[in-house]
Amino acid sequence: AGISIGAALTPFTSQISLDSCSIKYQSIDSEDEEYEMRIKGRSIIEDQKLSFLSIPVCIVLRIPAGEKLGIFLKGGISFEIPVVKTFKGTGTFTYDGFYPAYPVLLQDLPAYGFPTNHSTNSSGSLEIKSLSQHLVASGGILFALKESIQLTFGISYIRSLGNISE
């Protein structure tokens, strides 16, 4: 039995894509007129990059099953500190304004906030908690190559103990 403490850099990347979307909501313009904002988006892509400095603190149990063979079990908590948390997004959007009082639909008027086929690029920092915890559990077989060198084969299970989003 023993205690294991370590450090690792764990990177994650993901890409989220949406062929098209449509959004409508009520709004008020600069002259206090009510209108319905209609947004149509297409070719929307967001790339996310996350990297965590992982500091696992675990209890390790090694059970000998022969002179060179054994079983190991390991469990504990890993403290996760984000070191990279960025996103980059692109898409093309069309904004229309429907004024029900008149009734009129304003389109392709970029000076008034209703551009057509407007390409957007956005980037920034993901809102991730500065510290999160993960449950760590693993087990498997170990082979003693020398007295102080062992080769292990096993499975590992890691699960977040909460939401990582801020």
Side-chain angles (χ1 to χ4, degrees):
I3 295 175
S4 170
I5 299 173
L9 186 63
T10 311
F12 299 94
T13 60
S14 69
Q15 185 178 74
I16 302 166
S17 63
L18 192 59
D19 290 333
S20 64
C21 73
S22 180
I23 303 166
K24 294 180 182 181
Y25 63 89
Q26 296 300 315
S27 190
I28 297 175
D29 67 13
S30 61
E31 297 175 4
D32 272 348
E33 294 281 341
E34 290 185 12
Y35 71 99
E36 181 181 79
M37 174 63 88
R38 298 176 180 178
I39 304 170
K40 292 179 184 169
R42 61 182 167 83
S43 303
I44 302 163
I45 298 173
E46 181 173 287
D47 293 310
Q48 298 179 348
K49 292 183 181 182
L50 285 168
S51 290
F52 291 93
L53 173 62
S54 303
I55 304 170
V57 179
C58 300
I59 295 175
V60 181
L61 181 61
R62 293 186 178 149
I63 304 165
E67 201 171 295
K68 294 199 173 245
L69 188 62
I71 298 171
F72 74 92
L73 299 169
K74 181 177 174 181
I77 302 285
S78 181
F79 299 94
E80 307 292 321
I81 302 165
V83 291
V84 175
K85 50 183 182 176
T86 62
F87 74 89
K88 290 182 182 177
T90 60
T92 303
F93 295 90
T94 295
Y95 301 83
D96 299 332
F98 177 69
Y99 286 77
Y102 299 110
V104 65
L105 180 65
L106 299 183
Q107 297 175 297
D108 199 18
L109 296 168
Y112 294 96
F114 304 114
T116 298
N117 294 326
H118 179 69
S119 293
T120 62
N121 292 304
S122 63
S123 61
S125 182
L126 294 166
E127 295 180 9
I128 303 296
K129 290 181 181 176
S130 60
L131 178 68
S132 59
Q133 298 85 30
H134 291 172
L135 175 68
V136 178
S138 60
I141 298 169
L142 58 89
F143 299 98
L145 301 176
K146 293 186 177 180
E147 188 175 323
S148 61
I149 299 175
Q150 298 173 347
L151 183 62
T152 62
F153 295 97
I155 59 171
S156 184
Y157 177 79
I158 301 171
R159 175 146 182 127
S160 178
L161 294 176
N163 191 343
I164 66 169
S165 296
E166 191 59 64

